[in-house]
Amino acid sequence: MKDTANMSPAEIRAMIRNNEWIKPTSGMAKGFTQANLAILKKDLAFEFLLFCQRNPKPCPILDVTEPGSPIPRLIAPEADIRTDIPKYRIYRSGELAEEVTDIMKYWEDDMVAFLIGCSFTFEHPLMNNGIPVRHIEENCNVAMYKTNIPCVKAGRFEGPMVVSMRPIPEKDVVRAVQITSRFPAVHGAPIQIGNPARIGIKDINKPDFGDRVTIREGEVPVFWACGATPQAIAMEVKPELMITHAPGHMFIADVLDEQYSVF
Amino acid sequence: MKDTANMSPAEIRAMIRNNEWIKPTSGMAKGFTQANLAILKKDLAFEFLLFCQRNPKPCPILDVTEPGSPIPRLIAPEADIRTDIPKYRIYRSGELAEEVTDIMKYWEDDMVAFLIGCSFTFEHPLMNNGIPVRHIEENCNVAMYKTNIPCVKAGRFEGPMVVSMRPIPEKDVVRAVQITSRFPAVHGAPIQIGNPARIGIKDINKPDFGDRVTIREGEVPVFWACGATPQAIAMEVKPELMITHAPGHMFIADVLDEQYSVF
């Protein structure tokens, strides 16, 4: 079995490109940033970029390719966005049409790929500080909820913010705020501490996306803006064609998580 | 004489709109953010937004208007970008054509206004910490230099980063790094400390833009990415029509400087 945690991002991307890895990327190339993918045609790209610009907490952009170019020059200049993700989803008019392992045949000259930050980037620093990350302990997906917080509209893109929740021991809440504040480029500080009702969450045990996680005695639910927001909102626009990664099947960049910290 | 330091942003913008103030905005509405303006037509707007996205240190975007809308909804939803700046510059094919006090007659349905952060936002926190800001003491413009640091290209937009320089007492350099690190959305931490030659600056006493300031015994020149960069680079593209604020005649937003700090 390959030691994928200690392989380089380039080695892992090569393995993925050759269809030797068609599984989730969690835990691979430890310390390196993983990113969400959203591909749109150029006529929607300006509005989507504007939407992300106006909503930086849920939509932290790590890279945007030049129209027609499949190369994410900023975060992985040797990569090809069309082949280097294990599994893609093709959406037509907002409906899932198929899942594929490369998108060469779907790629068009007016496509723009958005690589969007993911909370993995601040979960490692939390764990390095001895703060538990429940969904990793329970080996499931993070719990995500739709809120009553409206994103700032941009053109056709509008809708509520999606948040992720992590139960944090009460004594560690301040530290968790400090740690994630260091990463404004990847969701940053929490947006709510301890009061799900305040942001329109009716039942903490029924997440809208992902999995329910255990909240133990003495733990506080803490909410961060979530990178699922831009995808959920883009879907509502029902673009003729939109391509994303399949959940958990992320793009692995050449940038270290720590490089996104501001100090 | 009006106490413009203690007037609200809305009061000052009204005064400007009525042509009762056609002077620089330095020191007005103390504590509120002032922004640079760049207006381009939509065909260039996507590339310019991408350029800013890829170069966040020199090009910190505070707001982008919807194409055709003159309202900066994020930072001053009651303002009108066409009238609320004391003096504008009209550039045609990269050449200064005229200076005007409003741009109503130049406004077109496909124009997009970019409001870009300005180092005023972190200069107040520096001074609040007892760190001198020389160009304010000497009542002149900040010293700015072209560097040998290439910005990340986006479409037609490319060129070197412009930096601003502030001489900082050696004992305060670490503190100045800490303070400005709190403001990643407005240039953030310095990009160079004490070695102008390293970034291609031949003569510290000959800035490329702005004014020469005194560097005293025991002071270190510290360099920050500068908001003059996007304008300088946009000019190189020689857009058919580009509108900017006149130097020092800034847009005053409803957002407090402190609200741009990440903690």
Side-chain angles (χ1 to χ4, degrees):
Chain A
M1 201 177 124
K2 279 179 178 164
D3 179 15
T4 58
N6 291 307
M7 283 170 70
S8 75
E11 287 169 330
I12 289 178
R13 290 194 306 259
M15 196 165 72
I16 291 170
R17 197 175 310 145
N18 297 327
N19 281 332
E20 292 159 15
W21 185 275
I22 315 179
K23 288 187 286 187
T25 50
S26 170
M28 298 179 94
K30 212 169 159 241
F32 288 92
T33 290
Q34 301 205 8
N36 300 293
L37 172 74
I39 297 176
L40 289 167
K41 291 196 167 211
K42 204 193 159 192
D43 69 317
L44 276 173
F46 175 70
E47 285 177 27
F48 189 66
L49 182 54
L50 207 50
F51 180 81
C52 295
Q53 173 71 42
R54 289 182 182 164
N55 298 281
K57 289 201 106 178
C59 313
I61 291 185
L62 304 184
D63 203 352
V64 183
T65 60
E66 212 68 17
S69 163
I71 299 162
R73 289 201 187 283
L74 232 57
I75 64 170
E78 310 287 313
D80 187 321
I81 213 65
R82 299 169 300 182
T83 53
D84 292 3
I85 284 181
K87 207 189 281 176
Y88 300 81
R89 285 185 164 183
I90 313 291
Y91 288 88
R92 295 190 187 279
S93 306
E95 302 286 333
L96 178 60
E98 58 183 314
E99 283 196 343
V100 295
T101 59
D102 77 70
I103 55 165
M104 294 302 285
K105 73 172 184 180
Y106 298 93
W107 188 256
E108 292 172 35
D109 276 352
D110 62 346
M111 281 182 164
V112 178
F114 294 82
L115 291 151
I116 296 167
C118 149
S119 51
F120 289 1
T121 299
F122 69 68
E123 287 175 349
H124 296 140
L126 287 174
M127 291 185 286
N128 289 343
N129 277 269
I131 299 176
V133 177
R134 185 61 30 77
H135 62 97
I136 294 180
E137 291 174 351
E138 297 187 341
N139 200 22
C140 63
N141 202 342
V142 69
M144 291 170 277
Y145 306 83
K146 276 190 198 171
T147 68
N148 59 11
I149 305 168
C151 290
V152 183
K153 189 176 185 291
R156 285 158 281 186
F157 294 96
E158 62 182 318
M161 188 189 293
V162 176
V163 294
S164 61
M165 185 278 288
R166 290 164 192 78
I168 305 286
E170 222 175 317
K171 67 169 177 54
D172 292 329
V173 169
V174 168
R175 187 72 185 136
V177 172
Q178 290 175 328
I179 292 163
T180 56
S181 294
R182 293 175 57 219
F183 294 91
V186 200
H187 305 309
I191 57 119
Q192 224 292 322
I193 294 173
N195 190 353
R198 165 80 63 204
I199 54 174
I201 298 171
K202 291 202 180 74
D203 186 347
I204 195 78
N205 288 313
K206 289 187 182 148
D208 294 302
F209 313 101
D211 297 312
R212 180 189 170 281
V213 298
T214 313
I215 304 177
R216 295 192 191 139
E217 184 67 30
E219 287 182 342
V220 179
V222 180
F223 300 90
W224 278 267
C226 177
T229 310
Q231 243 185 51
I233 280 173
M235 269 351 156
E236 292 292 312
V237 176
K238 303 192 194 315
E240 200 188 311
L241 179 62
M242 178 174 178
I243 303 173
T244 73
H245 65 289
H249 299 68
M250 315 292 281
F251 180 75
I252 302 183
D254 292 336
V255 183
L256 288 161
D257 288 328
E258 274 300 320
Q259 290 177 282
Y260 286 111
S261 116
V262 288
F263 58 97
Chain B
M1 203 177 124
K2 280 180 175 161
D3 179 16
T4 58
N6 290 308
M7 283 170 71
S8 76
E11 288 169 329
I12 289 179
R13 291 193 306 259
M15 196 165 72
I16 291 171
R17 197 176 309 143
N18 297 328
N19 281 332
E20 293 159 16
W21 185 276
I22 314 177
K23 288 187 286 187
T25 51
S26 171
M28 299 179 96
K30 211 169 161 240
F32 288 92
T33 290
Q34 301 206 8
N36 300 293
L37 172 75
I39 296 176
L40 290 166
K41 292 200 168 210
K42 204 191 158 195
D43 70 315
L44 275 173
F46 176 70
E47 284 177 28
F48 188 66
L49 182 55
L50 207 51
F51 181 80
C52 294
Q53 174 70 42
R54 289 180 182 166
N55 297 281
K57 288 200 107 179
C59 313
I61 290 185
L62 304 185
D63 203 351
V64 183
T65 60
E66 212 69 16
S69 163
I71 298 162
R73 291 202 184 281
L74 233 59
I75 63 170
E78 310 287 313
D80 187 322
I81 212 64
R82 298 169 299 182
T83 53
D84 293 2
I85 284 181
K87 207 189 281 176
Y88 300 81
R89 286 186 164 181
I90 314 291
Y91 289 88
R92 296 191 185 280
S93 306
E95 301 287 334
L96 178 60
E98 56 183 316
E99 282 195 344
V100 294
T101 58
D102 77 71
I103 54 165
M104 294 302 287
K105 71 172 186 180
Y106 298 94
W107 187 256
E108 292 172 34
D109 276 353
D110 63 345
M111 280 182 164
V112 179
F114 294 82
L115 291 152
I116 296 167
C118 147
S119 52
F120 288 1
T121 298
F122 69 68
E123 287 175 350
H124 296 140
L126 287 174
M127 290 184 286
N128 289 343
N129 276 270
I131 299 176
V133 176
R134 185 60 31 79
H135 62 97
I136 294 179
E137 292 175 349
E138 297 187 343
N139 200 21
C140 63
N141 201 344
V142 68
M144 292 170 274
Y145 307 83
K146 276 190 197 170
T147 68
N148 59 11
I149 305 168
C151 290
V152 183
K153 189 176 184 290
R156 285 159 279 185
F157 295 96
E158 62 183 318
M161 188 189 294
V162 176
V163 293
S164 61
M165 185 278 287
R166 291 162 193 77
I168 306 287
E170 221 175 318
K171 68 171 177 51
D172 292 328
V173 169
V174 167
R175 188 70 186 139
V177 171
Q178 290 175 328
I179 292 163
T180 56
S181 295
R182 294 176 57 221
F183 294 91
V186 200
H187 304 309
I191 58 120
Q192 224 293 324
I193 294 172
N195 190 352
R198 165 78 65 204
I199 54 173
I201 298 171
K202 293 204 178 75
D203 185 347
I204 195 77
N205 287 313
K206 290 190 181 143
D208 294 301
F209 314 101
D211 297 312
R212 181 189 171 281
V213 298
T214 313
I215 304 177
R216 296 193 191 140
E217 184 68 30
E219 288 181 340
V220 179
V222 180
F223 300 90
W224 279 267
C226 178
T229 310
Q231 240 185 54
I233 280 173
M235 269 352 156
E236 291 293 311
V237 175
K238 303 193 195 310
E240 201 187 311
L241 178 62
M242 178 174 177
I243 303 173
T244 72
H245 65 290
H249 299 67
M250 315 291 280
F251 179 75
I252 302 183
D254 293 334
V255 184
L256 288 161
D257 288 330
E258 273 300 321
Q259 291 177 282
Y260 287 111
S261 114
V262 289
F263 59 95

